[in-house]
Amino acid sequence: MHKFGGHIVIMLVLLLSACAKREEPLYQQQLLTFGTIVEISIWGAEKGLAQQASSQIGEDLQQMHNDWHAWHDSPLVRMNQALSVGASATVPASILPLVQKSIALSRASEGMFNPAIGRLIKLWGFEQDDLPSGPPPDPAAIAALTKQHPGMDDLILDGGRLRSTNPAVQLDFGAIAKGHGVDLAITRLRELGIQNAIINAGGNLRAIGKHGDRPWRIGIRNPRGEGVLASIETRGDESILTSGDYERFYEYQGKRYHHIIDPRSGYPVTGVISVTVIADDAATADAASTALFVAGPQRWREIAKKLGVTQVMLIDGQGRMVVTPAMAKRVRFEVDPSPKVTVAPL
Ligand code: ADP
Ligand code: MG
């Protein structure tokens, strides 16, 4: 009897230790690439596969960063040189989807998202890794570039060759590249057989599948101050991206100059702090969040409709929050007291 009892105890202990050893099947990895911190979360894959997938994604993203760089010597810089002298250039395969998506999204946003303003971005100094420190550029230089109206409509894309009818066009994909890169990383994960994951490039993310038996829950950063403003539970495959005036900025004589430029004025947009968009793919959500930021409190609904985007949260210059009805159903505020939020039908 005694002996038997002893066996049970030992078996229980073994069982318990086996349980304790079983790891939670969540793999997380942070990479410094793409000019930001990229966080990879994978649920339910064997550890070796998850490791292999995340190092592959690290390589992919680094390659994209090199290909799409708007100022280091890169295929994009060489293409921009051709555009500035009216020559036609073969669009490298890695850049072609960015050009195609950007032409369509720029048109749909009435040029609020306008990757043809590379010269303005450069004039402001936001094309570099290091932040500029001010003073802001000479108003005459800003006006000179703005009145040449560089736009994606100036481009003629013909069988993989691109030229510009406006020599002022210089392409800078800063407002869509992260999104497109996240899309490609998700495609890579799926190719490797991974079904449940999040790729988050500095708060710009796409989620697929679930976190075990519950949805992934992601946080939206508080645009002023520390911590998380709100959380959203993702549904299947979707992308959540935010454009904010706090990502890249400098202050000069008490004024904030940030990296989202209104192509009409040539100056950083005022009156908006952040725009969060949920959409099917990250490239669309990225371009849309920038476009709605530029469109501002007066026009964002109209531009959202044109872009086919229904889930939006905008925080205006006074910190007031406006959400679409579809976003209102998704977002849960994590601050106390819960902020006053206006629901605005599109
Ligand atoms: P974030 O870095 O916060 O994700 P965005 O997606 O809005 O920001 O991208 C901002 C970047 O896009 C800038 O650094 C610049 O390179 C470029 N950019 C700035 N203004 C515009 C605009 N109106 N249209 C297209 N690209 C822009
Ligand atoms: Mg963007």
Side-chain angles (χ1 to χ4, degrees), residues 112-115 117 121 126 172 174-175 178 204 242-244 247 259-261 263 286 290 294:
M112 307 277 174
F113 161 71
N114 182 359
I117 60 167
I121 310 284
F126 285 117
D172 175 320
K178 263 186 231 154
N204 302 299
T242 301
S243 282
E247 288 286 351
H259 70 321
I260 302 170
I261 307 292
D286 197 355
T290 306
V294 175

Side-chain angles (χ1 to χ4, degrees), residues 50-63:
Q51 270 166 343
Q52 181 207 337
S54 69
S55 76
Q56 182 65 58
I57 283 170
E59 275 175 40
D60 292 352
L61 290 174
Q62 192 55 49
Q63 185 63 47

